[in-house]
Amino acid sequence: MKKNKIIIANMKMNGSLSSNEIYLTKIKNNFNNFKNLDIGLCLPYPYLFQAKKFLINTKIRWGSQNVAKFENGPYTGEISAAMLKEFDSKYVIVGHSERSTAYCESDENIADKFEKVKKYKMTPVLCVGETLIEREAGIMERVIASQLDVIVKIYGAGIFENSIVAYEPIWAIGSDMAATPDQANKMCNYIKDFICKEHSCDFKNFNIIYGGSVNPKNAVQLFASESLNGVLIGRSSINFDEFSHICSAAENS
Ligand code: 13P
């Protein structure tokens, strides 16, 4: 049976109560009829309750862009996996490069966050990707392998069951320079082989998606790639028309 395509919106630090109301109403009215898509909106934390209020009786799910690596305690400003679960979050982005660069997040921290999301039965969307310098040096596979390997070493490859890995080359984020379908295909295949073949895991539910300057123009070609199960969208997800265009392309791919 053909798998549904996964479309995750990383809305980053955008939105307001009033603009979300308009956006979520449109999503609710227009996106619920897509049959072949699993759509998730990753919003800023304060708006999770609003996403739940609007989307509760739809097929569209919601979630966050980060989580604490700790369960609870004296961690000022952090939000735990248990708290996200209370708002019925499904997806949690972990290891996004905009966070790991700005806050010097280590691969070990990211591994602990991934584990917390799994523990609370949500779906981690783990971002991995290389810089332009690393790509030009031809070491992108080694970079991705080391990012994945930390999680495998600490928690075992089995933890990737029921999870999503997003290949997000850092040079493609916010740059209008998306990876070509061929580049995305190669790296997504590499990730799949690394997790599934090298560690002999036969997962029922493990998906690899691509993120980085996905827009209505390049989406059709990306969806044609067999190794990609979907996309992680930044800027084009906050523009309803663009987002809708991408979802229609995915639905018909
Ligand atoms: P853009 O789609 O704006 O390039 O952002 C991609 C991204 O960071 C998704 O997580």
Side-chain angles (χ1 to χ4, degrees), residues 6 8 42 61-64 85 89-94 113-114 116-126 159-165 205-207:
I6 296 169
I8 308 284
C42 292
R61 300 291 92 190
W62 55 91
S64 68
K85 188 74 181 173
S89 300
K90 175 170 167 95
Y91 298 106
V92 181
I93 296 174
V94 288
K113 291 179 174 194
F114 189 96
K116 289 292 169 298
V117 178
K118 289 298 307 284
K119 182 172 175 189
Y120 284 87
K121 309 251 177 302
M122 298 179 288
T123 305
V125 181
L126 172 74
I159 198 164
F160 281 93
E161 171 82 288
N162 298 321
S163 77
I164 298 173
V165 174
N205 187 17
F206 170 60
N207 289 291

Coordinates of all heavy atoms in Angstrom, one line a residue, residues 6 8 42 61-64 85 89-94 113-114 116-126 159-165 205-207:
I6 N 4.2 13.0 4.0 CA 4.2 13.7 5.3 C 4.5 15.2 5.0 O 5.6 15.4 4.3 CB 5.2 13.1 6.3 CG1 4.7 11.7 6.6 CG2 5.4 14.0 7.5 CD1 5.8 10.9 7.4
I8 N 5.2 18.6 6.9 CA 5.3 19.3 8.2 C 5.6 20.8 8.0 O 6.6 21.1 7.2 CB 6.5 18.7 9.1 CG1 6.3 17.2 9.2 CG2 6.5 19.4 10.5 CD1 5.3 16.7 10.1
C42 N 3.9 22.8 13.1 CA 4.7 23.0 14.3 C 4.8 24.5 14.6 O 5.4 25.2 13.9 CB 6.1 22.4 14.1 SG 6.1 20.6 14.0
R61 N -2.7 17.5 12.3 CA -2.1 17.5 13.7 C -1.2 18.7 13.9 O -0.9 19.4 13.0 CB -1.3 16.2 13.9 CG -2.1 14.9 13.7 CD -3.1 14.7 14.8 NE -4.4 15.2 14.4 CZ -5.4 15.4 15.2 NH1 -5.3 15.0 16.5 NH2 -6.6 15.9 14.8
W62 N -0.7 18.8 15.1 CA 0.1 20.0 15.5 C 1.2 19.5 16.4 O 1.2 18.4 16.9 CB -0.8 21.1 16.1 CG -1.5 20.6 17.3 CD1 -1.1 20.6 18.6 CD2 -2.8 19.9 17.3 NE1 -2.1 20.0 19.4 CE2 -3.1 19.6 18.6 CE3 -3.7 19.6 16.2 CZ2 -4.3 18.9 18.9 CZ3 -4.9 19.0 16.6 CH2 -5.2 18.6 17.9
G63 N 2.1 20.5 16.7 CA 3.2 20.2 17.6 C 4.1 21.4 17.7 O 3.8 22.5 17.3
S64 N 5.4 21.1 18.2 CA 6.3 22.2 18.5 C 7.6 22.1 17.8 O 7.8 21.2 17.0 CB 6.5 22.2 20.0 OG 7.3 21.0 20.3
K85 N 2.6 17.0 25.4 CA 1.6 16.0 25.3 C 0.3 16.4 25.8 O -0.8 16.0 25.3 CB 2.2 14.7 26.1 CG 1.3 13.5 25.9 CD 1.6 12.9 24.5 CE 0.7 11.7 24.3 NZ 0.8 11.2 22.9
S89 N 0.0 17.4 21.4 CA 1.0 17.6 20.3 C 1.3 16.2 19.7 O 1.4 15.2 20.4 CB 2.3 18.2 20.8 OG 2.0 19.4 21.4
K90 N 1.5 16.2 18.4 CA 1.9 14.9 17.8 C 3.4 15.0 17.3 O 4.2 14.1 17.5 CB 1.0 14.6 16.6 CG 1.5 13.4 15.8 CD 0.6 12.9 14.8 CE 1.2 11.9 13.8 NZ 1.0 10.5 14.1
Y91 N 3.7 16.1 16.7 CA 5.1 16.2 16.1 C 5.9 17.2 16.9 O 5.5 18.2 17.4 CB 5.0 16.8 14.7 CG 4.3 15.9 13.7 CD1 3.0 16.2 13.3 CD2 4.9 14.7 13.2 CE1 2.3 15.4 12.4 CE2 4.2 13.9 12.4 CZ 2.9 14.2 11.9 OH 2.2 13.4 11.1
V92 N 7.2 16.8 17.1 CA 8.2 17.7 17.8 C 9.4 17.8 17.0 O 10.1 16.7 16.8 CB 8.5 17.2 19.2 CG1 9.4 18.2 19.9 CG2 7.2 17.1 20.1
I93 N 9.8 18.9 16.5 CA 11.0 19.1 15.7 C 12.2 19.1 16.7 O 12.1 19.8 17.8 CB 11.0 20.4 14.9 CG1 9.9 20.4 13.9 CG2 12.4 20.7 14.3 CD1 9.7 21.7 13.1
V94 N 13.2 18.3 16.5 CA 14.4 18.3 17.4 C 15.6 18.5 16.5 O 15.7 18.0 15.4 CB 14.5 17.1 18.3 CG1 13.5 17.1 19.4 CG2 14.5 15.8 17.5
K113 N 16.7 14.8 23.7 CA 15.4 15.4 23.4 C 14.6 14.4 22.5 O 13.4 14.2 22.7 CB 15.6 16.7 22.6 CG 16.1 17.8 23.4 CD 16.3 19.0 22.6 CE 16.8 20.2 23.5 NZ 16.7 21.5 22.9
F114 N 15.2 13.7 21.6 CA 14.6 12.7 20.7 C 14.0 11.6 21.6 O 12.8 11.2 21.4 CB 15.7 12.1 19.8 CG 15.2 11.2 18.7 CD1 15.0 11.7 17.4 CD2 15.0 9.9 18.9 CE1 14.5 10.9 16.4 CE2 14.5 9.1 17.9 CZ 14.3 9.6 16.6
K116 N 13.1 11.8 24.7 CA 11.9 12.3 25.5 C 10.6 12.3 24.7 O 9.6 12.0 25.2 CB 12.2 13.7 26.1 CG 13.2 13.8 27.2 CD 12.7 13.1 28.5 CE 13.9 12.9 29.5 NZ 15.0 12.0 29.0
V117 N 10.8 12.7 23.4 CA 9.6 12.8 22.6 C 9.1 11.4 22.4 O 7.8 11.2 22.4 CB 10.0 13.4 21.2 CG1 8.8 13.5 20.3 CG2 10.5 14.8 21.4
K118 N 10.0 10.4 22.2 CA 9.5 9.0 22.0 C 8.8 8.5 23.3 O 7.8 7.8 23.2 CB 10.7 8.1 21.6 CG 11.3 8.3 20.3 CD 10.3 8.0 19.1 CE 9.6 6.6 19.1 NZ 10.5 5.5 18.7
K119 N 9.4 8.9 24.4 CA 8.9 8.4 25.7 C 7.5 8.8 25.9 O 6.7 8.1 26.4 CB 9.8 8.9 26.8 CG 9.4 8.5 28.2 CD 10.4 8.9 29.2 CE 9.8 8.5 30.6 NZ 10.6 9.0 31.7
Y120 N 7.1 10.0 25.4 CA 5.8 10.5 25.6 C 4.9 10.3 24.4 O 3.9 10.9 24.1 CB 5.8 12.0 26.0 CG 6.2 12.1 27.4 CD1 7.5 12.2 27.8 CD2 5.2 12.1 28.4 CE1 7.9 12.2 29.1 CE2 5.6 12.2 29.8 CZ 6.9 12.2 30.1 OH 7.3 12.3 31.5
K121 N 5.4 9.3 23.6 CA 4.5 8.8 22.4 C 4.2 9.9 21.4 O 3.0 9.9 20.9 CB 3.3 8.1 22.9 CG 3.5 7.0 24.0 CD 3.3 5.6 23.4 CE 3.6 4.5 24.3 NZ 5.0 4.4 24.9
M122 N 5.1 10.8 21.2 CA 4.9 11.8 20.1 C 5.9 11.4 19.0 O 6.7 10.5 19.2 CB 5.2 13.2 20.6 CG 4.1 13.6 21.7 SD 4.4 15.2 22.4 CE 5.9 15.0 23.4
T123 N 5.9 12.1 17.9 CA 6.8 11.7 16.8 C 7.9 12.8 16.6 O 7.6 13.9 16.3 CB 5.9 11.7 15.5 OG1 4.9 10.8 15.6 CG2 6.8 11.3 14.3
P124 N 9.1 12.4 16.9 CA 10.2 13.3 16.7 C 10.5 13.6 15.2 O 10.4 12.6 14.4 CB 11.4 12.7 17.3 CG 11.1 11.3 17.5 CD 9.6 11.1 17.4
V125 N 10.7 14.8 14.9 CA 11.2 15.1 13.5 C 12.6 15.6 13.6 O 12.9 16.8 14.0 CB 10.3 16.3 12.9 CG1 10.7 16.6 11.4 CG2 8.8 15.9 12.9
L126 N 13.5 14.7 13.5 CA 14.9 15.0 13.7 C 15.6 15.6 12.5 O 15.6 15.0 11.4 CB 15.7 13.7 14.1 CG 17.2 13.8 14.2 CD1 17.6 14.5 15.4 CD2 17.9 12.4 14.0
I159 N 15.2 3.0 18.3 CA 14.4 4.2 18.7 C 13.9 5.0 17.5 O 13.0 5.8 17.6 CB 15.3 5.1 19.7 CG1 14.4 6.1 20.4 CG2 16.4 5.8 18.9 CD1 15.1 6.7 21.6
F160 N 14.4 4.6 16.3 CA 14.0 5.4 15.1 C 12.6 4.9 14.6 O 12.0 5.5 13.7 CB 15.0 5.3 14.0 CG 16.1 6.3 14.2 CD1 17.3 5.9 14.9 CD2 16.0 7.6 13.8 CE1 18.3 6.8 15.1 CE2 17.0 8.5 14.0 CZ 18.2 8.2 14.7
E161 N 12.1 3.7 15.2 CA 10.8 3.3 14.8 C 9.8 4.4 15.2 O 9.9 5.0 16.2 CB 10.5 2.0 15.5 CG 9.0 1.5 15.4 CD 8.7 0.7 14.1 OE1 8.6 1.4 13.1 OE2 8.5 -0.5 14.2
N162 N 8.8 4.6 14.3 CA 7.8 5.7 14.6 C 8.4 7.1 14.7 O 8.0 7.9 15.6 CB 7.0 5.4 15.9 CG 6.2 4.2 15.7 OD1 5.6 3.9 14.7 ND2 6.1 3.4 16.8
S163 N 9.4 7.3 13.9 CA 10.0 8.7 13.9 C 10.2 9.2 12.5 O 10.0 8.4 11.5 CB 11.4 8.7 14.7 OG 12.4 8.1 13.8
I164 N 10.6 10.4 12.4 CA 10.9 11.1 11.1 C 12.2 11.7 11.2 O 12.6 12.3 12.1 CB 9.8 12.2 10.8 CG1 8.4 11.6 10.7 CG2 10.1 12.9 9.5 CD1 7.3 12.6 10.6
V165 N 13.0 11.5 10.1 CA 14.3 12.2 10.0 C 14.1 13.2 8.8 O 13.7 12.8 7.7 CB 15.5 11.2 9.7 CG1 16.8 12.1 9.4 CG2 15.7 10.4 10.9
N205 N 7.2 2.0 10.5 CA 6.9 3.4 10.4 C 8.1 4.3 10.7 O 8.4 4.7 11.8 CB 5.8 3.7 11.4 CG 5.3 5.1 11.3 OD1 5.5 5.8 10.3 ND2 4.6 5.6 12.3
F206 N 8.9 4.4 9.7 CA 10.1 5.3 9.7 C 10.1 6.1 8.4 O 10.1 5.5 7.4 CB 11.4 4.5 9.9 CG 12.6 5.3 9.8 CD1 12.9 6.3 10.6 CD2 13.5 5.0 8.8 CE1 14.0 7.1 10.5 CE2 14.7 5.7 8.6 CZ 15.0 6.8 9.5
N207 N 10.1 7.4 8.6 CA 10.0 8.2 7.4 C 11.2 9.2 7.2 O 11.6 9.8 8.3 CB 8.7 9.0 7.4 CG 7.5 8.0 7.1 OD1 7.4 7.5 6.0 ND2 6.7 7.8 8.2

